[in-house]
Amino acid sequence: MGKTGTSGSRFQLILIKPSHYDNDGYVVQWLRSTMPSNSLAAVYSLALGAAERQLLGPDLPIDVMAMDETNTRVRPREIARRIAENGGHGLVGIVGVQSNEFPRAVDIARPLRAAGVQVMIGGFHVSGCLSMLKELPNDIKEAQALGVSIYAGEAEEGLDEVILDAARGKLRPLYDHMKHLPDIGDIAAPPFLPVDFVRRTIGNVTSFDAGRGCPFQCSFCTIINVQGRKSRYRSPNSVEQIIRLNYGQGVNRFFITDDNFARNKDWEAIYDRLIKLREEDGLDIRFCIQVDTLCHRIPNFIDKSRRAGVTRVFIGLENINPANLIAAKKRQNKITEYRKMLLEWKRVGIMTYAGYILGFENDTPESIKHDLEIIKKELPLDMLEFFILTPLPGSEDHKVLWEKGVWMDPDMNKYDVEHVVTVHPKMSAAEWKEAYRTAWGHYYTDDHLETIVRRAYASGINIRSLMPVLFWFSSAVPVENLHPLQWGIFRVKYRHDRRSGLPLESPLLFYSRYAADIVRKIALVARRWRHLKRIVRKVEADPHAKLYRDEALTPVTEEDSEHMELYTQNAAARSAVERELRVAGKSANGHRHTAEAASGRAGNGHQTDGRDAAHALLEPHSDHSEPISPIV
Ligand code: B12
Ligand code: SF4
């Protein structure tokens, strides 16, 4: 690579967010993917900032190009040609690479390296491994052996150095920024992607992180070991800048990617700014956030969420067996709070999505099925999504198994939380896999789909907005055999874009199977959509639908602990209830004996306002003009 710009040449900075391979070894790609990648937005924006600042001097301007492989075909040969045409000045940054995407990232890098192009890989896989393992795993070493440079940690303070080194043709094999977590408060270039990217995804949605880090210590979590446990957050001004930039290009729906926005230390100031933008400046903006199961105990959090424009919320419910939660160090998840929290979200008409992990140490196929029946009956949840407990590189679970030498599948492509990649004390791999596959069907039965719609209607949630979301989460696995978070509209497949080492299939075999698949999927999608539509119409036509009540929608009472299966199903559940009652200063029969009882304060310290909870549930929350997006 040349050191100085030859006349007319420009430094090509090409950023690729890779996808991963399906079980047949083809790239998972769509005409429209779920949502724009915030990892790509973050690095793209920093790169654009470097270009605008003329980081490489006036003689070597920087061109930044970005692509998301989940909706765009990556053509390494064309990229190599483009760089060659610019005197060899360039760098391909493979961005936000998760463990399940690492094999694909290396396959993209291989032909580029063969053509002499400089390539760098960053993201959670490399950052997680560097943060937790004493030695680099073989896949990262193999990438380095190809000449791929590795970037661990966040790019906010390190990208300039990378571009400068690449321009000199002197990239180092490893950039390790794990020890220093940058301040993201008011950076000049917060995450942003031009509207063209948004158009390649479903709905008018983009994503950004308002903060990073989480104070909890769940053993399966990678985030705390990569982004840290201290809350770092963007200032309200910076958040407003992101929103206005997007609003200006017609994008007004946002997925805030903070893994736990409730623990963003500045959530209230950020919400206050969003409320101002909506209520005073008249911006029509909506948000989807992720929170923990104790968020309802933060004063004002739920009410301000509603005013700030939150319409959907992801909750890490994970499991309903306290023994499992304790084993996974998810102590903050208290089954005694689940109903209160979900009813609070229902009270303000916000849709809930909960994540549920299958394969904790006490899980068996029977217990999973049983737990799902309890959830359906007793928890007022809308969408439930399932994950296989996976020792993701970067998590404590992975580190422990690695150090003990326990078997873990060496194929990183399978670390998509949908494959069984290690052993379970009570289930064979086949049983575990089957428990995951059937969980979707056990939860999203025809009857339960109707119950979800009825509960939502009675809680004032717009069921026409709920319908596409419910369709998405209930149909992705049966139709596509992929998790809803990986699904998209119309699967695109190229015969040549197959995992390295797998044979190129004959055109006849490939295209006939592809065509048959398309026909099968269209038929299935149409049938499932019609079915849901029938349910929605039936509920809308029912004159009593607004009065619908069931056990899940019933306001929380102290007697719940005596009869609800959630609290009585096993010894761990019973002792969790006992413990919570003790902490709240109540006797086992549920009677309060502290001053709280007399003062009318709930055990969590919130002032009860005396409103009839059932009445509150009936208040309508109009949620018009929702985009047809599965996420926001
Ligand atoms: C939003 C999100 C999604 C979105 C969008 C993806 C995206 N990356 O934006 C969606 C919903 C599509 C998604 C899907 C999935 N996700 Co996800 N997702 C996230 C989440 C919550 C935020 C991502 C983000 O914006 N982070 C903030 C950015 C700025 O951080 P970053 O990606 O690390 O990038 C920084 C640095 O790494 C560095 N960097 C990154 N790349 C590069 C490149 C270069 C050249 C340089 C210099 C620097 C650099 O600079 C960046 C800026 O500081 C993360 C958790 C998290 N906190 O990150 C999980 C996370 C990344 N997802 C995860 C998983 C497992 C999945 C799924 C498999 C889940 C599923 N069952 O479907 C799928 C897989 C999708 C696929 N393969 O197609 C895991 C990955 C763990 C691992 N070890 O790989 C994470 C960490 C969550 C977890 N459970 O642990 N996800
Ligand atoms: S609450 Fe979520 S982000 Fe926080 S440690 Fe647990 S899994 Fe990780």
Side-chain angles (χ1 to χ4, degrees):
M1 294 282 158
K3 286 186 183 174
T4 51
T6 29
S7 170
S9 65
R10 304 171 68 90
F11 185 86
Q12 301 300 303
L13 181 49
I14 294 162
L15 304 172
I16 302 171
K17 171 82 180 84
S19 183
H20 74 141
Y21 294 111
D22 65 16
N23 289 338
D24 296 325
Y26 290 102
V27 175
V28 176
Q29 203 167 75
W30 313 97
L31 197 61
R32 296 274 177 280
S33 59
T34 318
M35 72 162 95
S37 157
N38 175 51
S39 311
L40 189 60
V43 181
Y44 176 77
S45 203
L46 295 170
L48 222 52
E52 279 161 13
R53 280 183 280 120
Q54 296 197 331
L55 179 70
L56 299 178
D59 294 339
L60 190 55
I62 303 174
D63 287 337
V64 184
M65 190 183 149
M67 60 186 91
D68 183 340
E69 201 187 25
T70 59
N71 55 40
T72 306
R73 190 176 187 193
V74 174
R75 299 169 191 269
R77 242 185 284 153
E78 276 180 24
I79 294 172
R81 194 177 318 126
R82 186 180 163 136
I83 292 176
E85 282 166 6
N86 279 279
H89 300 293
L91 166 69
V92 173
I94 311 189
V95 176
V97 182
Q98 303 179 6
S99 300
N100 67 88
E101 298 162 340
F102 196 77
R104 174 64 189 157
V106 175
D107 279 354
I108 294 173
R110 207 169 272 119
L112 291 168
R113 287 301 303 137
V117 173
Q118 303 184 94
V119 182
M120 170 173 268
I121 293 181
F124 253 72
H125 181 59
V126 295
S127 301
C129 289
L130 256 101
S131 116
M132 296 302 271
L133 306 179
K134 288 196 188 98
E135 199 197 333
L136 282 180
N138 288 340
D139 58 348
I140 299 183
K141 283 188 193 154
E142 279 157 24
Q144 284 179 321
L146 280 175
V148 174
S149 176
I150 299 297
Y151 189 98
E154 297 174 14
E156 276 73 9
E157 289 173 5
L159 188 65
D160 280 6
E161 184 195 10
V162 165
I163 298 173
L164 288 164
D165 286 357
R168 290 187 296 118
K170 294 236 179 316
L171 272 186
R172 300 199 303 268
L174 178 66
Y175 290 76
D176 183 357
H177 286 261
M178 291 308 297
K179 291 204 175 64
H180 176 65
L181 298 171
D183 174 15
I184 54 169
D186 276 301
I187 60 167
F192 175 73
L193 283 172
V195 70
D196 291 358
F197 282 85
V198 181
R199 295 221 175 95
R200 288 193 207 114
T201 61
I202 305 162
N204 205 18
V205 184
T206 196
S207 61
F208 69 89
D209 51 340
R212 296 178 190 163
C214 175
F216 297 122
Q217 278 182 288
C218 312
S219 67
F220 53 83
C221 180
T222 63
I223 289 123
I224 41 178
N225 303 315
V226 172
Q227 301 185 333
R229 291 182 53 214
K230 184 169 171 274
S231 170
R232 290 172 292 137
Y233 41 85
R234 299 191 192 280
S235 70
N237 283 345
S238 186
V239 170
E240 178 171 349
Q241 183 190 353
I242 296 171
I243 287 165
R244 288 202 182 269
L245 270 173
N246 279 290
Y247 206 73
Q249 58 173 2
V251 178
N252 60 353
R253 303 293 189 255
F254 302 87
F255 176 52
I256 301 184
T257 63
D258 299 31
D259 296 278
N260 192 347
F261 184 69
R263 303 299 147 185
N264 180 316
K265 279 242 166 77
D266 221 21
W267 69 266
E268 192 156 21
I270 294 172
Y271 267 175
D272 286 342
R273 184 63 62 89
L274 301 182
I275 291 169
K276 177 189 169 288
L277 290 177
R278 279 165 57 85
E279 296 180 359
E280 291 174 29
D281 302 353
L283 268 61
D284 169 21
I285 42 178
R286 307 273 170 97
F287 301 89
C288 175
I289 56 168
Q290 309 188 86
V291 296
D292 61 62
T293 54
L294 290 182
C295 60
H296 61 297
R297 287 167 52 160
I298 303 173
N300 295 331
F301 186 77
I302 296 218
D303 286 300
K304 283 204 172 175
S305 294
R306 176 73 206 169
R307 284 180 64 199
V310 173
T311 54
R312 300 169 191 193
V313 60
F314 276 95
I315 303 153
L317 198 77
E318 325 300 17
N319 209 268
I320 61 164
N321 182 345
N324 281 336
L325 295 165
I326 288 168
K329 295 196 185 165
K330 190 127 197 165
R331 289 170 193 279
Q332 72 275 19
N333 272 26
K334 302 190 186 316
I335 58 165
T336 46
E337 293 294 323
Y338 285 1
R339 293 193 67 246
K340 288 181 207 154
M341 179 268 302
L342 292 167
L343 284 170
E344 274 292 284
W345 287 115
K346 279 261 180 294
R347 177 177 66 78
V348 294
I350 292 178
M351 276 180 221
T352 51
Y353 306 59
Y356 202 77
I357 300 180
L358 307 175
F360 285 115
E361 60 184 35
N362 298 293
D363 284 345
T364 63
E366 298 71 39
S367 75
I368 289 173
K369 212 168 150 191
H370 185 239
D371 289 351
L372 289 179
E373 291 308 320
I374 297 177
I375 292 175
K376 281 157 62 178
K377 196 159 138 243
E378 298 178 355
L379 291 182
L381 251 178
D382 299 319
M383 273 63 64
L384 191 60
E385 53 172 336
F386 302 98
F387 302 99
I388 291 180
L389 182 65
T390 303
L392 286 168
S395 64
E396 182 188 325
D397 286 352
H398 180 264
K399 182 183 173 172
V400 169
L401 298 184
W402 172 279
E403 284 172 356
K404 285 188 183 160
V406 175
W407 179 83
M408 287 185 281
D409 201 312
D411 180 4
M412 283 299 130
N413 195 66
K414 292 189 182 146
Y415 285 65
D416 58 0
V417 285
E418 290 188 84
H419 286 84
V420 170
V421 296
T422 190
V423 285
H424 188 274
K426 293 187 175 161
M427 289 187 277
S428 68
E431 283 172 333
W432 195 355
K433 201 170 143 194
E434 188 59 8
Y436 169 77
R437 207 188 53 76
T438 53
W440 297 92
H442 286 317
Y443 184 73
Y444 293 109
T445 58
D446 289 352
D447 279 352
H448 196 58
L449 284 171
E450 182 168 337
T451 303
I452 294 171
V453 174
R454 284 193 177 280
R455 285 178 186 159
Y457 194 67
S459 310
I461 288 172
N462 180 340
I463 57 174
R464 292 276 162 165
S465 303
L466 175 71
M467 194 171 91
V469 189
L470 207 46
F471 168 77
W472 198 265
F473 279 80
S474 61
S475 305
V477 168
V479 172
E480 202 73 49
N481 197 20
L482 276 178
H483 194 276
L485 294 183
Q486 292 180 44
W487 203 14
I489 292 182
F490 195 82
R491 177 73 196 271
V492 178
K493 245 183 189 180
Y494 296 97
R495 194 166 65 95
H496 286 267
D497 289 355
R498 201 170 192 204
R499 190 169 183 177
S500 63
L502 291 179
L504 183 66
E505 288 187 297
S506 79
L508 185 67
L509 181 70
F510 176 83
Y511 289 109
S512 56
R513 211 173 35 212
Y514 186 24
D517 232 27
I518 292 171
V519 173
R520 180 188 64 80
K521 285 177 203 167
I522 290 176
L524 210 53
V525 160
R527 187 152 58 79
R528 296 185 72 92
W529 181 256
R530 273 200 307 268
H531 179 69
L532 252 182
K533 213 165 170 181
R534 264 198 302 274
I535 293 178
V536 168
R537 286 208 181 118
K538 181 176 160 193
V539 173
E540 282 172 341
D542 178 352
H544 305 295
K546 282 272 174 218
L547 301 173
Y548 176 82
R549 275 288 164 280
D550 61 17
E551 213 172 345
L553 282 187
T554 309
V556 175
T557 64
E558 289 173 349
E559 287 70 41
D560 289 353
S561 61
E562 288 155 29
H563 66 89
M564 284 197 155
E565 261 197 282
L566 179 65
Y567 308 121
T568 55
Q569 67 152 325
N570 55 32
R574 287 190 296 273
S575 79
V577 172
E578 281 288 321
R579 197 172 44 246
E580 287 313 310
L581 288 174
R582 255 197 326 272
V583 170
K586 295 170 196 169
S587 62
N589 64 12
H591 296 144
R592 250 177 264 178
H593 53 69
T594 66
E596 273 180 351
S599 73
R601 270 179 194 276
N604 58 20
H606 294 177
Q607 183 73 48
T608 49
D609 62 5
R611 279 172 71 200
D612 170 7
H615 183 253
L617 275 170
L618 281 169
E619 283 176 11
H621 303 279
S622 60
D623 200 7
H624 332 281
S625 67
E626 278 287 281
I628 305 299
S629 154
I631 307 292
V632 186

